[in-house]
């Protein structure tokens, strides 16, 4: 009987220990859930403070040349500044810088649209001649304070246009079926082949837009022809490629 009583006692102890362990696990899980809820609540309040501060910046800061030091004084005078009290000072400054950069980008986009719309702006245009054409436009007067910065932006714009134009021209050459690996030999035999190629290319604005750098355009073309020659004939279609059926008309 004592042996059976001991077994029953041990069994009860294990059951009670299991229950206590389970209760402990439940409490820990509940505690984690509460912590997660607190984190979500805090994040919601933080996000709300960020939106309030962004709205304040949108209303009060419209000058891309504004400084954080001076702007902060103005922002503090607005009652909405208190709605962003959960944000640290460096967080507010970061949001301010992002806002100012956004304003600056809008100015830059407007200035570049002005350059796009101005006739006679080529890849070899000088800032001096272009400035005479655009200086009365409000998109010019509102873009940057420094004329040197306008000039810098202008040449950045030209550089991007130049790179884009070259890339577009390379695509055009690849699309031109008359330019093949045989072209180099044909050019050595006669200038007619080059004339025929340029006649085809001249029908496309991706070729004509490089008229202002005619010599460089020709060098690019010759380099491409030499590249095709080095590569040799293209590989024949593989047997695995499906045969296309003719389209019935």
């Amino acid at each position: 009987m004592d042996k059976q009583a001991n077994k029953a006692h041990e069994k009860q102890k294990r059951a009670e220990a299991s229950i206590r362990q389970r209760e402990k696990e439940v409490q820990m899980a509940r505690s984690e859930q509460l912590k997660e809820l607190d984190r979500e609540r805090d994040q919601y309040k933080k996000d709300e403070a960020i939106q309030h501060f962004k709205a304040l910046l949108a209303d009060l800061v419209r000058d891309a040349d504004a400084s954080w030091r001076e702007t902060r004084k103005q922002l503090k005078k607005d009652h909405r500044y208190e709605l962003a009290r959960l944000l640290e000072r460096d967080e507010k400054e970061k949001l301010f810088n992002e806002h100012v950069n956004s304003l600056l980008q809008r100015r830059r986009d407007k200035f570049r649209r002005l350059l796009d719309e101005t006739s006679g702006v080529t890849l070899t245009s000088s800032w001096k001649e272009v400035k005479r054409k655009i200086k009365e436009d409000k998109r010019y007067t509102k873009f940057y304070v420094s004329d040197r910065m306008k000039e810098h932006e202008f040449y950045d714009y030209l550089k991007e246009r130049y790179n884009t134009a070259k890339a577009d021209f390379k695509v055009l050459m690849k699309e031109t079926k008359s330019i093949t690996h045989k072209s180099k030999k044909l050019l050595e035999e006669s200038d007619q082949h080059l004339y025929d190629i340029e006649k085809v290319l001249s029908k496309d604005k991706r070729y004509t837009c490089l008229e202002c750098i005619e010599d460089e355009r020709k060098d690019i073309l010759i380099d491409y022809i030499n590249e095709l020659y080095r590569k040799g004939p293209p590989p024949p279609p593989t047997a695995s490629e499906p045969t296309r059926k003719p389209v019935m008309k």
Side-chain angles (χ1 to χ4, degrees), residues 4-249:
Q4 289 179 350
N6 286 337
K7 283 184 177 181
H9 181 65
E10 289 296 325
K11 185 176 181 180
Q12 184 178 357
K13 283 175 63 178
R14 288 196 298 273
E16 290 173 352
S18 178
I19 291 171
R20 286 194 298 272
Q21 180 62 29
R22 178 58 184 159
E23 288 175 345
K24 184 178 179 181
E25 290 172 356
V26 169
Q27 288 176 353
M28 288 177 64
R30 186 175 296 146
S31 176
E32 282 301 315
Q33 288 176 347
L34 291 173
K35 288 179 182 178
E36 182 61 28
L37 285 173
D38 286 340
R39 282 194 292 267
E40 290 179 0
R41 192 180 297 111
D42 290 343
Q43 187 59 51
Y44 174 79
K45 290 180 179 178
K46 186 75 169 288
D47 292 342
E48 197 173 35
I50 289 173
Q51 294 308 315
H52 283 308
F53 194 68
K54 283 184 174 181
L56 183 60
L57 291 172
D59 287 346
L60 299 185
V61 184
R62 301 186 180 184
D63 183 1
D65 300 314
S67 70
W68 168 240
R69 183 175 180 180
E70 292 302 317
T71 301
R72 186 164 170 262
K73 295 175 184 177
Q74 294 178 330
L75 296 177
K76 281 185 172 183
K77 296 176 183 178
D78 194 293
H79 68 279
R80 291 172 294 174
Y81 187 82
E82 184 61 21
L83 297 174
R85 61 184 176 278
L86 290 179
L87 301 179
E88 299 293 338
R89 179 173 176 175
D90 61 334
E91 291 176 311
K92 291 174 182 174
E93 185 173 1
K94 182 182 177 183
L95 290 171
F96 166 80
N97 289 332
E98 289 174 356
H99 175 71
V100 166
N101 287 335
S102 175
L103 293 176
L104 200 56
Q105 186 59 49
R106 285 181 216 165
R107 280 188 186 181
R108 182 178 288 113
D109 292 343
K110 289 179 181 178
F111 183 68
R112 291 192 168 208
R113 279 199 296 273
L114 169 61
L115 294 172
D116 284 337
E117 294 166 10
T118 303
S119 62
V121 178
T122 71
L123 298 177
T124 56
S125 294
S126 70
W127 170 240
K128 187 176 180 180
E129 62 182 291
V130 172
K131 180 182 174 182
R132 284 198 299 266
K133 296 180 179 181
I134 66 174
K135 63 182 181 180
E136 301 302 327
D137 194 290
K138 65 180 181 180
R139 287 170 291 183
Y140 170 85
T141 55
K142 288 185 177 181
F143 183 63
Y144 295 127
V145 174
S146 166
D147 193 61
R148 181 177 294 179
M149 290 298 288
K150 291 188 182 78
E151 182 177 1
H152 178 76
E153 184 62 33
F154 168 73
Y155 284 114
D156 276 351
Y157 164 82
L158 281 192
K159 184 178 180 181
E160 287 183 23
R161 262 186 63 172
Y162 170 76
N163 291 334
T164 300
K166 281 208 308 181
D168 289 344
F169 181 48
K170 288 178 181 178
V171 172
L172 172 61
M173 290 188 295
K174 289 180 181 179
E175 293 172 354
T176 306
K177 294 181 180 179
S178 59
I179 307 176
T180 70
H181 67 286
K182 298 178 180 179
S183 292
K184 180 176 172 62
K185 291 281 188 180
L186 293 172
L187 287 180
E188 291 172 352
E189 294 171 5
S190 168
D191 292 337
Q192 183 63 38
H193 184 56
L194 180 60
Y195 172 81
D196 292 339
I197 290 174
E198 290 179 331
K199 186 176 180 181
V200 173
L201 294 175
S202 65
K203 297 175 182 178
D204 196 296
K205 66 179 182 180
R206 290 173 290 181
Y207 177 83
T208 57
C209 75
L210 295 173
E211 198 72 39
C212 57
I213 50 171
E214 185 178 355
D215 290 342
E216 186 174 350
R217 181 181 62 184
K218 188 171 182 178
D219 289 341
I220 294 171
L221 174 58
I222 298 300
D223 286 345
Y224 178 66
I225 289 172
N226 289 334
E227 181 186 343
L228 291 182
Y229 175 76
R230 287 192 298 270
K231 289 181 178 178
T238 60
S240 60
E241 288 184 355
T243 304
R244 294 187 179 181
K245 295 181 180 180
V247 179
M248 300 298 291
K249 296 184 179 179

